[in-house]
Structure formats: C-alpha cells, structure tokens
C-alpha cells in the first residue's frame, strides 16, 4: 500500500492523544508518552505541530471534549490543511463504529489522519487493514471489560466491596486481602448517627435526616446552597453495606456477610427498611422549623385542632411570631398568641416533669439491675436463637427440595421469594447469636441519653436542636398538648414514666420516702394477720 505524501499546505499538524480515565492522567504518563512519540514522527516528516488535544475517557465514545475542540479547530482552519497525528489507531477510538464516525468527521473538517504505527490510505487494502485493526481494538476493549467485571464479581462473592467507597467508609490495604472498607472518621460517626436516629424514630422523616447531615460542613453536599438531596439520603438509608453486608442483584450476588465492619447492625437496617415502607407519623412542613417547634403538636383548647403559626413585620422591620387557631367556628379563630408566651409556658411544663435526685437515683439503680439480669440470662437466650437458626435452615432445605420437584414457574418464583426471606431472617438470628451476651457498649454509655432525658427533658428542649425538640414532644407526652387562652397548658398528659415520676414527687413532698428501696427478686410474703 502506498502512503500519500502531504503537499505544501499540509505541513501544519495537530496531535491527538487519549487515555481511558482521569486516573491515568493524574497518576500516569500515557498522554506525555503519546505526545513525545507523535512529535518525533512529526520531526521525521518535517511537520510543524501547532496544537495538541487530549482526552481522558473511554475510546468507545465519540463525543469527547478534546476531540470536539480539535474538530472545531480544524473546521476553523479549513482553508489550511492539517495533518492529525495519533500514536496508535486505538487512541482514536476503541470501537469500529466510533472509529468510522471520527475518521469521517476529521476528513470533513479538512484533516488528514496519520500515525507512526499505521499507514492510513484510501485504497481497498488499506481500508481493510484499518477496519480490522479497529475491530481488534474494539474486541480488546470488550474483552478487558468482561475480564474486569468477572474479577470484580468474584471478589464481591467473597464479601469484598469493589466499587468506590460510600460515605462513611474508606479503603485500607490489608496483607493478603487487598483493599478493604474501614470506617472513615468523622464521617462514619455522622452517618451512623443518622442511620440509628431514623431507625429509632429520632428522625421521623428523610427530610429530618437531610437537615441533620447538612449541619456538618464536611459531609459532601450535592445541591446548591450547601444542601443534601433527598435521593442521597435515600441511598444511605437503603444501602445494606452500612450493616456489614453486601448484595449486588445485577451481578447475581445474593445477600452475604461482607469482609468489612458495618456502621450499624442488620437488625437496625431492617427497622430502617420497615420505617421507609410506613407512613410517617410526623410529616415535614416547610414552616415546621426552629422558628415554630411546637407547630402541629400544640392544639387549641377550645376546638382541639392543631394550632398553626404566622409571622408579621412591624414598621421598624422587626419580625413578630405568633401561634393561632385557624379553625372556623372556634371562639379563638384567628386570635393570635405570641410565640414567646406559649413556648415559655411549655418550658415551665417540662420543668414539672423533672424528678428529684433521689427518684432519679432509684430509676438509675433499677435500669442497672435490669441490665445485669439481662446479661445473666444471655446464655439461655443464645440456645433459643441457635434452635431458631436450625429451624430456619430446615425450612430453607425443604423449600429447595420443593423447587427441584416444581414445574410451574410461578410456584418456583414463590419458593425463591420465601427462601430469600428466610435467608434474611437467618442473617438476623446469626447476628443476634454473635452479639448476645456481648454488649457493644457499657451500661453508662448505652443509657446515657435515656437517663439524661428522664432526668431533665427541659434541658434537652433548651438545646434548640430541632431533632431533640421533636424527640421531647414524642417521648414526653402521650398525645398532643391543648393550650387554653388565658389558662395555658391545663390538661397535658405526660408519658407513663413521667406520670409515675409526678406521683412519686407528690408523695415525696407529702411524706418521708426513706422507706423506698429496690424490690428483691423472689417471692413476696404477705404479713401474717
């Protein structure tokens, strides 16, 4: 085959170089090596290099920033022919279709394609060799992709995560294992608190989780104004990876225990999934924020409808905040009450829930005794769990035998669905068996928040954090609290623990409580008459 010798108007040349990804640009020297070889070729041919274009993306794509810029440059200089030099045919494209499209686009823009590795020509033999090489390049790309996927799938089947580390994790190289996910602090603790908070009801909605994450400047934001999208929150709440497990349905990798330590346990993950399927008990409203923390919880004492809120701006530009009843027909309809007044009286109401130090000490000892008792019976509980695991395994084996004998696809699908459910139940039981009798945290750490809440809900309310205030509302009272104009919170019904505390407080004020002690385990003997 004969290569055409460029005429005088093709002595100007441009170089096009390409690597497969950004990592090869930042950590490798592929682009520089290609450019060096192309410049050497240009000197040999006595070409003047006027510009260099480069890309760091897959060769299967035709629309690339560097390629688009080069075609635009050639089009603008169409009155002056340019040679386009590529190091190898695979640098132009890694697919036959993409190669032909770019080949035609370069020719239309007035470029002449050349390479130190191959002679491009317009005769049938040259075109055949060129197309064969482009097809081989495409086959190599597809084969590499298949091999990479197969290796990644095999590693995933062994319990290793093979994709970029999600928020809260990072990769750490371990001897004999390669890269393994480990906690990435302080992000891991934030994600863990968000997950556990949603599971326990501290955060009632995904929007509350979103606002919690946005408080931390180091948590990655994906929306303008430093906001986190609800979709990102959903991805975090539904990712089983955070429970220490791994599942890739698209690669036929079923749920299995991962080789990394999760941020939460599998039971907590299951509770999160159940809560996601349920209707939220406290839907988020745009004006249900720190300006009106009692909105939707305080009701009008006259009509028992939830109070709404409003703001007004005075002549001097000062904002005023109000709660009011918007229920038509109510005697308090559109009669506003200053926010400061209602919230001050509610703060005083919380103060009545606070127990005395002696009663708090009794509650603390009660929880500690119960804690010790639960640890003592853990061995017996572990035996029951092992029996349940054996029973579940027997059910799975029975269903597998039925699948072998089944001929209906719908029946097989039903069996497979039931097996999947039993496998998840087995995972929960196995996790319980490992954890029973081995508390992750000590008594003081586990009960710190609960005891703090019982000892002084007023202090938690005054923290000003929206999620803590909503927690006080949900756990401090049995129902919504009615507010009567001129009378205040007259008939508030505290939660059962606080009702007991109020009774004991009343008794303690009226008589000596020194006789109160923790009851001993065992029988109670009535006094003999």
């Amino acid at each position: 085959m004969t290569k055409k010798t460029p005429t005088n108007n093709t002595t100007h040349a441009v170089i096009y170089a390409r690597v497969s990804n950004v990592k090869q640009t930042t950590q490798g020297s592929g682009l520089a090596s290609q450019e060096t070889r192309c410049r050497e070729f240009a000197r040999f041919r006595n070409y003047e290099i006027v510009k260099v274009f480069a890309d760091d993306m897959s060769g299967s794509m035709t629309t690339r920033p560097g390629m688009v810029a080069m075609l635009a440059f050639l089009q603008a200089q169409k009155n002056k022919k340019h040679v386009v030099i590529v190091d190898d045919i695979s640098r132009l494209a890694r697919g036959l279709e993409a190669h032909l499209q770019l080949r035609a686009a370069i020719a239309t823009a007035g470029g002449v394609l050349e390479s130190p590795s191959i002679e491009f020509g317009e005769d049938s033999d040259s075109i055949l060799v060129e197309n064969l090489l482009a097809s081989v390049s495409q086959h190599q790309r597809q084969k590499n992709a298949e091999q990479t996927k197969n290796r990644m799938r095999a590693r995933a089947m062994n319990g290793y995560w093979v994709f970029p580390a999600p928020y809260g994790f990072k990769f750490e190289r371990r001897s004999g294992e390669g890269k393994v996910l480990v906690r990435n602090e302080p992000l891991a603790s934030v994600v863990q608190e968000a997950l556990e908070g949603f599971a326990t009801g501290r955060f009632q909605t995904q929007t509350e989780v979103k606002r919690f994450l946005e408080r931390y400047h180091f948590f990655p934001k994906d929306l303008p104004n430093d906001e986190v999208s609800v979709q990102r929150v959903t991805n975090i709440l539904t990712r089983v990876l955070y429970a220490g497990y791994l599942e890739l349905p698209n690669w036929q990798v079923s749920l299995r225990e991962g080789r990394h330590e999760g941020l939460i346990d599998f039971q907590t993950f299951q509770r999160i999934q159940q809560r996601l399927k349920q209707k939220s008990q406290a839907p988020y409203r745009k004006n249900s924020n720190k300006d009106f923390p009692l909105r939707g919880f305080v009701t009008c004492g006259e009509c028992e409808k939830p109070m709404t809120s409003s703001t007004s701006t005075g002549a001097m530009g000062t904002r005023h905040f109000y709660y009011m009843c918007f229920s038509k027909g109510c005697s308090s309809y559109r009669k506003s009450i200053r926010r400061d007044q209602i919230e001050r009286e509610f703060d005083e109401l919380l103060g009545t829930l606070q127990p005395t130090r002696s009663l708090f000490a009794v509650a603390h000892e009660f929880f500690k005794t119960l804690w010790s008792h639960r640890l003592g019976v853990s061995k017996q509980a572990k035996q029951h769990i092992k029996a349940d695991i054996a029973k579940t395994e027997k059910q799975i084996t029975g269903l597998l035998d039925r699948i072998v004998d089944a001929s209906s696809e719908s029946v097989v699908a039903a069996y497979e669905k039931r097996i999947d459910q039993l496998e998840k139940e087995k995972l929960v039981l196995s996790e319980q068996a490992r954890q029973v009798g081995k508390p992750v945290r000590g008594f003081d750490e586990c009960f710190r928040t609960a005891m703090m809440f019982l000892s002084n809900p007023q202090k938690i309310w005054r923290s000003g954090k929206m999620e803590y205030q909503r927690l006080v509302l949900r756990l401090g009272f049995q129902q919504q609290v009615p507010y009567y104009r001129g009378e205040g919170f007259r008939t508030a019904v505290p939660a059962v623990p606080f009702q007991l505390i109020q009774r004991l407080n009343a008794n303690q004020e009226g008589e000596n409580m020194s006789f109160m002690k923790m009851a001993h385990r065992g029988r109670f003997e009535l006094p003999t008459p």
Side-chain angles (χ1 to χ4, degrees):
M1 62 190 80
T2 305
K3 181 172 172 41
K4 294 182 178 180
T5 302
T7 58
N8 291 335
N9 60 351
T10 60
T11 54
H12 292 85
V14 298
I15 294 174
Y16 178 77
R18 184 190 63 80
V19 290
S20 299
N21 51 55
V22 178
K23 185 177 180 180
Q24 288 180 300
T25 302
T26 57
Q27 300 182 12
S29 58
L31 291 178
S33 299
Q34 293 177 44
E35 182 179 343
T36 299
R37 192 158 186 259
C38 290
R39 286 187 179 278
E40 183 182 22
F41 177 78
R43 284 195 298 271
F44 177 74
R45 291 298 179 94
N46 199 27
Y47 296 155
E48 179 186 355
I49 302 298
V50 295
K51 211 166 184 62
V52 177
F53 300 90
D55 280 310
D56 50 11
M57 57 196 307
S58 173
S60 62
M61 304 174 65
T62 56
T63 304
R64 315 171 204 148
M67 177 61 69
V68 171
M70 185 185 74
L71 292 175
F73 174 81
L74 295 176
Q75 191 70 34
Q77 304 287 328
K78 200 169 183 180
N79 61 331
K80 186 183 297 184
K81 293 288 184 179
H82 284 76
V83 172
V84 178
I85 305 175
V86 293
D87 177 47
D88 184 77
I89 193 172
S90 63
R91 299 304 93 198
L92 181 65
R94 294 280 278 183
L96 179 58
E97 183 177 353
H99 174 84
L100 295 176
Q101 290 180 8
L102 293 178
R103 181 88 153 80
I106 291 172
T108 302
V112 177
L113 196 61
E114 292 191 18
S115 170
S117 302
I118 178 178
E119 291 189 3
F120 295 97
E122 302 302 327
D123 58 283
S124 59
D125 290 341
S126 297
I127 293 175
L128 174 62
V129 172
E130 181 181 339
N131 290 346
L132 286 174
L133 291 175
S135 297
V136 170
S137 181
Q138 175 175 307
H139 174 265
Q140 289 176 342
R141 175 180 60 81
Q142 293 172 338
K143 193 65 178 177
N144 289 339
E146 290 176 4
Q147 291 176 345
T148 300
K149 179 181 177 180
N150 290 337
R151 287 194 295 267
M152 291 173 67
R153 181 176 180 275
R155 184 166 172 79
M157 292 180 69
N158 288 329
Y160 295 98
W161 185 247
V162 294
F163 300 104
Y167 307 115
F169 287 112
K170 65 180 180 180
F171 282 112
E172 181 180 277
R173 190 170 294 278
R174 294 180 182 174
S175 177
E177 290 187 280
K179 294 194 295 186
V180 181
L181 288 178
V182 296
R183 292 177 68 98
N184 182 22
E185 297 292 359
L187 207 55
S189 295
V190 173
V191 174
Q192 180 179 349
E193 187 175 352
L195 292 167
E196 292 178 343
F198 189 81
T200 59
R202 171 185 165 189
F203 304 122
Q204 280 290 308
T205 65
Q206 294 188 55
T207 305
E208 290 183 27
V209 178
K210 169 182 178 294
R211 288 185 293 173
F212 168 76
L213 295 174
E214 288 171 349
R215 290 214 317 258
Y216 296 91
H217 66 88
F218 53 80
F219 188 87
K221 313 299 191 298
D222 58 337
L223 292 178
N225 302 322
D226 284 335
E227 291 187 6
V228 177
S229 67
V230 175
Q231 183 59 50
R232 176 165 292 184
V233 174
T234 301
N235 293 342
I236 291 175
L237 294 176
T238 56
R239 177 163 274 175
V240 73
L241 200 72
Y242 288 114
Y245 290 82
L246 183 147
E247 183 179 27
L248 299 173
N250 293 338
W251 283 6
Q252 291 78 50
V253 178
S254 59
L255 184 66
R256 64 198 61 216
E257 190 172 357
R259 296 298 185 94
H260 65 283
E261 181 181 351
L263 304 185
I264 57 175
D265 56 38
F266 193 73
Q267 286 180 280
T268 301
F269 176 77
Q270 291 287 75
R271 286 198 298 270
I272 292 173
Q273 306 319 300
Q274 291 172 1
R275 291 208 58 232
L276 288 172
K277 295 177 182 178
Q278 297 170 355
K279 186 177 180 180
S280 173
Q281 297 178 356
Y284 169 74
R285 302 172 66 103
K286 288 185 178 180
N287 53 357
S288 179
N289 53 31
K290 61 181 180 180
D291 290 336
F292 297 101
L294 293 176
R295 178 183 171 89
F297 184 78
V298 173
T299 62
C300 173
E302 305 296 332
C303 64
E304 299 182 353
K305 298 293 179 61
M307 283 189 174
T308 186
S309 56
S310 64
T311 60
S312 63
T313 305
M316 302 299 293
T318 305
R319 295 184 67 195
H320 302 281
F321 303 87
Y322 302 94
Y323 286 95
M324 65 177 66
C325 176
F326 265 95
S327 179
K328 293 183 178 180
C330 178
S331 59
S332 296
Y333 176 62
R334 296 187 68 86
K335 294 182 179 179
S336 60
I337 307 171
R338 287 189 176 275
R339 179 192 65 178
D340 293 344
Q341 177 184 341
I342 287 185
E343 294 185 1
R344 182 182 64 254
E345 294 182 27
F346 182 77
D347 184 83
E348 294 172 356
L349 174 63
L350 290 176
T352 65
L353 304 182
Q354 183 174 347
T356 62
R357 287 187 177 183
S358 59
L359 287 178
F360 180 72
V362 170
H364 186 274
E365 287 301 318
F366 171 76
F367 282 119
K368 199 166 187 177
T369 301
L370 180 61
W371 171 271
S372 301
H373 174 68
R374 291 293 298 271
L375 290 180
V377 300
S378 60
K379 290 185 178 180
Q380 185 178 0
K382 193 168 187 175
Q383 293 301 321
H384 285 293
I385 293 174
K386 287 183 176 180
D388 290 339
I389 292 175
K391 182 180 177 181
T392 303
E393 289 177 341
K394 186 176 180 181
Q395 289 180 295
I396 293 173
T397 302
L399 289 172
L400 289 172
D401 292 339
R402 292 184 183 182
I403 288 179
V404 174
D405 298 331
S407 56
S408 171
E409 292 185 3
S410 59
V411 173
V412 171
Y415 285 154
E416 290 177 342
K417 183 177 180 180
R418 178 56 181 157
I419 289 173
D420 182 63
Q421 293 174 348
L422 290 172
E423 288 286 359
K424 291 182 178 179
E425 292 176 10
K426 180 183 172 182
L427 286 176
V428 173
L429 291 170
S430 300
E431 191 173 74
Q432 289 176 346
R434 290 194 301 270
Q435 294 178 354
V436 68
K438 298 178 181 178
V440 179
R441 304 176 183 90
F443 169 79
D444 291 333
E445 188 177 356
C446 286
F447 284 89
R448 183 186 300 120
T449 303
M451 300 307 294
M452 183 186 301
F453 178 77
L454 286 174
S455 67
N456 198 343
Q458 187 183 51
K459 183 178 180 181
I460 295 178
W461 175 264
R462 289 178 176 177
S463 69
K465 294 183 178 180
M466 189 65 180
E467 64 268 23
Y468 289 164
Q469 291 179 329
R470 293 174 70 87
L471 188 66
V472 170
L473 297 179
R474 287 194 294 268
L475 301 183
F477 300 89
Q478 287 190 358
Q479 57 194 23
Q480 292 172 308
V481 178
Y483 184 85
Y484 297 85
R485 292 177 56 83
E487 300 180 48
F489 296 101
R490 193 176 65 190
T491 57
V493 182
V496 173
F498 291 108
Q499 289 185 38
L500 177 61
I501 288 172
Q502 287 180 335
R503 294 194 191 103
L504 293 176
N505 275 336
N507 290 337
Q508 192 175 33
E509 293 174 359
E511 57 184 274
N512 183 10
M513 299 289 289
S514 61
F515 64 88
M516 289 188 62
K517 296 181 179 179
M518 292 290 294
H520 294 286
R521 292 178 59 196
R523 297 176 57 187
F524 286 91
E525 297 290 347
L526 294 176
T528 304

